Amino acid sequence: MSSHDGELGGGGRLLDWVTTTNHKTIGQLYIGGSLVFFLAGGLMAMLMRSELATPSLSFLSKNAYNELFTIHGTTMIFLFIAPIGLGFANYFLPLQIGAPDMAFPRMNALSVWLFLLGGVVIQSSFGASHGAAAAGWTAYAPLSSKVGSPGPGMDMWIMGVLLTSISSILTAVNLTATVFMLRAPGMTMFRLPLFTWNMLITSMLILVAFPPLAAALSMLFIDRHFGGHFFDPAHGGSVVLYQHLFWFFGHPEVYVMVLPWFGVVTEIIPVFSRKPLFGYIGMVLASMAIAALSMSVWAHHMFTTGAVDNPFFSIMSFLIAVPTGIKFFNWIGTMWGGKLVFSVPMLWCLGFMGNFLIGGITGVMLAAPPADYQFQDTYFVVAHMHYVLGGGSLFAIFAAIYYWFPKMTGFRLSEKLGRTVFWFVMVGFNVTFWPMFVLGLRGMQRRIAYYPPNVGWTTPNELATVGAFIMAVGVLIFLTDLVQAFRHKRPAGDDPWGGYTLEWITSSPPPEHNFEWLPPIRSDRPAFDWRHREDPRVVHDTHITVPGPGPGL
Amino acid sequence: MKGSMWFWAYVAAFGFVVGGIYWLLTYEDAGTAMLLFMGACGTVISGYLFLRRRHVRLIEDDPDARHEEATEEEIGHFSSGSVWPIFMGIGIAIGLLGFIFGRWMIVFGAILFVWATVGLMQESRG
């Protein structure tokens, strides 16, 4: 294998970043960019929560509020949670499988630039005449039509999301090819780390789900500018068709945003339980089942249209709870009897489990059409979604940052500040979003900037706003932690946690092509095997075999 | 190789089976088409891998493989740093924004994209 030179020589640091094709630098660009967008989306959330602290309109106009919730949702989904997962995958997937780089390094570079450019286009739409898009992150037709959303803001939203979609598809192709073709000798499919497995399955979801989104957006743009009538019932079109196309993307997208973090949590819990993962095969099959089922539940978002087969989508939605339950069972089984270490990454994982459980259970409630008819477009849905994506993904994102930061930089984050951040975010999160369940049950609609003062909505809204500020303090302490880590440069060592997977074998940060050497790979814990190679209890020559139609399947 | 083939075969089977059931239950076109398209995509990839299975042996699929066995293996050339991907990205972005702000931008974006793509190909050929 021939090696590459990394960045263009002779230039400055900026030129190195601009011309990079190295997967680790590209991963850092993804992660850094996503975090900047997270702060932007968070700022929008704070503005909305401040507005909702009192019943009447105070400092935002109705249209400004509509723009804020649209771009907040778009930013968090398309520019933060999904791409930061791709960022961690870019950095760690090749390391975990013992590869020197991604399969297509230049396509990888193109992907990250398309993501960042798409993000810039979406954010800059605030400066457009008529303002940014204001039709919600789902951009339902006809609200997103030329009549419902005049001005270029909506068009910029379409093009920005299209750019990030192309980026995601290219990255998914790259990750899939890398896993299938660049594994180290002995790294069979059923020795892959669970994060890698989950990224492979996530990539499959992206490849199937994002093309319908690109089609829906293209058709919407044609309707807006080229006289199309795809979503115009007056000329034979169908607004329900837009919903079908959008949610065929939209529901798998939920799992594009969640499965990577299932993988992260599954990496971290065994390490901090000082035990092997309980039920490796079950975890892989559960991820596959979740992904497959997620492709067949899209219309549970459309129960109230009256135009879909509610029983079919309801049953398929209920079924997803089964593999998800298996995951919870296995995480608990891994911790059971383990020597638990409550370091910061583990705390975030436990927070993830608690919050995601609430999101999951309320998801089962929403999968029942009679209940969904009551909850549709209320704050109950807002609370559920935030418990899944905030309580689930966000907590695991923090877990990933605290777990892998030492590997990426060679420096330690502060354990003390990390715990402080965790408790601020944990308390703030629940104070923010739990009252939203109450608001939903009391009938408060989502996407409204003001509300009547005497219907029992004021106190929960005040609580939610206080919670949001508590979370914001937590995020500020997190930023302080990051700055201090780079300032104090306390060395972390190559393996500060006693990790199980191959990234903990190499130096921190890893060299240009990741590894100077590799240990024999004889299980799904090669780093652990190598560290304990003198211990007779470690069996080197066993490998997982499972009967079935495929190799190891 | 076989693992990859089965992975995509399962994707294909799921798309066809659920797509068929969905059609029989609903007679709804859009969802059926998307599920069957999912099955077709999985079939193309797993079919290709099925046809290539006798020609390719991946050492990483051997559970007892040693690293020494792979040292002579040529798996490809990793590219040097390149300025072309960012220009390709800017070209695509400008071209798409041209549909909103002016057709001249589409031409400019397309030229930039083609120029960057040619540059990338020439760079790849060394």
Side-chain angles (χ1 to χ4, degrees), chain A residues 7 13 48 78 103 148 153 163 184 229 235 251 322 331 343 359 416 454 470 475 495 505 552:
Chain A
E7 285 70 52
R13 182 83 175 131
M48 287 188 288
F78 291 102
L163 284 168
H229 301 293
H235 293 84
H251 199 80
V322 177
W331 287 326
S343 287
K416 189 177 171 186
N454 300 319
I470 294 172
V475 172
D495 185 11
I505 286 289

Short mmCIF file of all heavy atoms in Angstrom, two decimals, chain A residues 7 13 48 78 103 148 153 163 184 229 235 251 322 331 343 359 416 454 470 475 495 505 552:
data_model
loop_
_atom_site.label_atom_id
_atom_site.label_comp_id
_atom_site.label_asym_id
_atom_site.label_seq_id
_atom_site.Cartn_x
_atom_site.Cartn_y
_atom_site.Cartn_z
N GLU A 7 -1.50 16.68 3.95
CA GLU A 7 -1.88 17.96 3.39
C GLU A 7 -0.81 18.46 2.42
O GLU A 7 0.29 17.93 2.36
CB GLU A 7 -2.07 18.98 4.51
CG GLU A 7 -3.35 18.79 5.30
CD GLU A 7 -3.33 17.54 6.14
OE1 GLU A 7 -2.40 17.35 6.91
OE2 GLU A 7 -4.25 16.72 6.01
N ARG A 13 -1.17 26.79 8.25
CA ARG A 13 -2.09 25.88 8.92
C ARG A 13 -3.47 25.92 8.25
O ARG A 13 -4.12 24.89 8.06
CB ARG A 13 -2.20 26.32 10.38
CG ARG A 13 -3.08 25.45 11.21
CD ARG A 13 -2.34 24.24 11.70
NE ARG A 13 -3.18 23.46 12.60
CZ ARG A 13 -3.36 22.14 12.49
NH1 ARG A 13 -2.79 21.47 11.54
NH2 ARG A 13 -4.12 21.50 13.35
N MET A 48 -36.42 31.70 21.60
CA MET A 48 -37.82 31.22 21.61
C MET A 48 -38.32 31.01 23.04
O MET A 48 -39.43 31.38 23.38
CB MET A 48 -37.92 29.92 20.82
CG MET A 48 -37.82 30.12 19.32
SD MET A 48 -38.18 28.62 18.40
CE MET A 48 -36.74 27.64 18.72
N PHE A 78 -30.13 18.81 10.71
CA PHE A 78 -29.28 18.65 9.53
C PHE A 78 -27.84 19.11 9.75
O PHE A 78 -26.94 18.72 9.01
CB PHE A 78 -29.86 19.43 8.34
CG PHE A 78 -31.14 18.86 7.80
CD1 PHE A 78 -32.36 19.42 8.11
CD2 PHE A 78 -31.12 17.74 6.98
CE1 PHE A 78 -33.54 18.90 7.62
CE2 PHE A 78 -32.30 17.21 6.48
CZ PHE A 78 -33.50 17.78 6.81
N ALA A 103 -11.93 5.07 2.48
CA ALA A 103 -11.75 4.48 1.15
C ALA A 103 -11.58 5.55 0.07
O ALA A 103 -10.80 5.38 -0.86
CB ALA A 103 -12.95 3.58 0.82
N GLY A 148 -47.42 30.35 0.06
CA GLY A 148 -47.28 30.25 1.51
C GLY A 148 -45.96 30.81 2.02
O GLY A 148 -45.89 31.32 3.14
N GLY A 153 -35.84 33.07 1.04
CA GLY A 153 -35.44 32.36 2.26
C GLY A 153 -35.79 30.88 2.17
O GLY A 153 -34.98 30.00 2.51
N LEU A 163 -27.75 20.53 -0.24
CA LEU A 163 -26.28 20.40 -0.16
C LEU A 163 -25.88 19.45 0.97
O LEU A 163 -25.01 18.59 0.80
CB LEU A 163 -25.66 21.78 0.07
CG LEU A 163 -25.59 22.71 -1.14
CD1 LEU A 163 -25.22 24.13 -0.71
CD2 LEU A 163 -24.58 22.21 -2.16
N ALA A 184 -8.72 -4.40 8.90
CA ALA A 184 -7.41 -5.05 9.10
C ALA A 184 -7.61 -6.57 9.08
O ALA A 184 -8.71 -7.06 9.35
CB ALA A 184 -6.84 -4.62 10.46
N HIS A 229 -46.64 21.20 -10.59
CA HIS A 229 -47.84 21.07 -9.76
C HIS A 229 -47.82 19.77 -8.97
O HIS A 229 -48.87 19.19 -8.71
CB HIS A 229 -49.09 21.13 -10.64
CG HIS A 229 -49.22 22.39 -11.42
ND1 HIS A 229 -49.44 23.61 -10.84
CD2 HIS A 229 -49.11 22.63 -12.75
CE1 HIS A 229 -49.49 24.55 -11.77
NE2 HIS A 229 -49.28 23.98 -12.95
N HIS A 235 -54.28 21.47 -9.41
CA HIS A 235 -53.85 21.03 -10.75
C HIS A 235 -53.51 19.54 -10.76
O HIS A 235 -52.62 19.11 -11.51
CB HIS A 235 -52.66 21.86 -11.24
CG HIS A 235 -53.01 23.29 -11.48
ND1 HIS A 235 -53.03 24.24 -10.47
CD2 HIS A 235 -53.39 23.95 -12.61
CE1 HIS A 235 -53.38 25.41 -10.98
NE2 HIS A 235 -53.60 25.26 -12.27
N HIS A 251 -38.42 9.67 8.96
CA HIS A 251 -38.34 8.78 10.10
C HIS A 251 -37.03 8.00 10.17
O HIS A 251 -36.41 7.93 11.25
CB HIS A 251 -39.53 7.83 10.23
CG HIS A 251 -39.58 7.31 11.63
ND1 HIS A 251 -40.10 8.04 12.66
CD2 HIS A 251 -39.06 6.21 12.18
CE1 HIS A 251 -39.93 7.39 13.79
NE2 HIS A 251 -39.29 6.26 13.53
N VAL A 322 -39.28 -3.35 20.33
CA VAL A 322 -38.70 -4.64 20.72
C VAL A 322 -37.16 -4.62 20.61
O VAL A 322 -36.47 -4.85 21.62
CB VAL A 322 -39.31 -5.80 19.91
CG1 VAL A 322 -38.63 -7.11 20.26
CG2 VAL A 322 -40.80 -5.89 20.16
N TRP A 331 -27.56 -3.29 27.67
CA TRP A 331 -26.76 -2.29 28.39
C TRP A 331 -26.82 -2.56 29.90
O TRP A 331 -25.81 -2.51 30.59
CB TRP A 331 -27.29 -0.87 28.10
CG TRP A 331 -26.97 -0.37 26.72
CD1 TRP A 331 -25.84 -0.64 25.99
CD2 TRP A 331 -27.80 0.47 25.90
NE1 TRP A 331 -25.92 -0.02 24.77
CE2 TRP A 331 -27.10 0.67 24.69
CE3 TRP A 331 -29.03 1.07 26.06
CZ2 TRP A 331 -27.61 1.46 23.65
CZ3 TRP A 331 -29.54 1.85 25.04
CH2 TRP A 331 -28.84 2.04 23.84
N SER A 343 -17.01 7.68 35.71
CA SER A 343 -16.34 8.82 35.10
C SER A 343 -17.34 9.58 34.23
O SER A 343 -18.45 9.11 33.98
CB SER A 343 -15.16 8.34 34.25
OG SER A 343 -14.12 7.91 35.08
N GLY A 359 -38.21 9.25 26.12
CA GLY A 359 -38.53 9.54 24.72
C GLY A 359 -39.11 8.33 24.02
O GLY A 359 -40.07 8.44 23.23
N LYS A 416 -13.83 17.33 36.98
CA LYS A 416 -14.69 18.12 37.86
C LYS A 416 -15.66 18.98 37.04
O LYS A 416 -16.86 18.99 37.29
CB LYS A 416 -13.80 19.00 38.75
CG LYS A 416 -14.53 19.71 39.85
CD LYS A 416 -13.52 20.49 40.69
CE LYS A 416 -14.24 21.40 41.68
NZ LYS A 416 -13.29 22.27 42.39
N ASN A 454 -54.73 32.50 30.90
CA ASN A 454 -55.49 31.87 32.00
C ASN A 454 -55.93 30.43 31.70
O ASN A 454 -57.00 30.01 32.10
CB ASN A 454 -56.73 32.71 32.32
CG ASN A 454 -56.33 34.11 32.74
OD1 ASN A 454 -55.37 34.28 33.49
ND2 ASN A 454 -57.04 35.10 32.22
N ILE A 470 -30.72 27.06 32.54
CA ILE A 470 -29.82 26.17 33.30
C ILE A 470 -28.96 25.36 32.33
O ILE A 470 -27.75 25.22 32.49
CB ILE A 470 -30.64 25.24 34.22
CG1 ILE A 470 -31.35 26.05 35.30
CG2 ILE A 470 -29.73 24.19 34.87
CD1 ILE A 470 -32.34 25.23 36.13
N VAL A 475 -23.76 24.46 29.06
CA VAL A 475 -23.01 24.51 27.79
C VAL A 475 -21.85 25.50 27.89
O VAL A 475 -20.75 25.26 27.38
CB VAL A 475 -23.97 24.87 26.62
CG1 VAL A 475 -23.19 25.11 25.34
CG2 VAL A 475 -24.97 23.75 26.41
N ASP A 495 -4.07 5.67 26.38
CA ASP A 495 -5.26 4.90 26.71
C ASP A 495 -5.75 5.24 28.12
O ASP A 495 -5.58 4.45 29.06
CB ASP A 495 -4.94 3.39 26.59
CG ASP A 495 -6.16 2.53 26.82
OD1 ASP A 495 -7.28 3.08 26.85
OD2 ASP A 495 -5.99 1.30 26.96
N ILE A 505 -4.99 1.58 20.95
CA ILE A 505 -3.66 1.01 20.78
C ILE A 505 -2.66 2.05 20.29
O ILE A 505 -1.50 2.05 20.64
CB ILE A 505 -3.73 -0.16 19.75
CG1 ILE A 505 -4.40 -1.38 20.39
CG2 ILE A 505 -2.37 -0.51 19.19
CD1 ILE A 505 -3.55 -2.07 21.43
N GLY A 552 -21.28 -15.84 9.62
CA GLY A 552 -21.44 -15.23 10.93
C GLY A 552 -22.79 -14.59 11.13
O GLY A 552 -23.02 -13.92 12.12
#
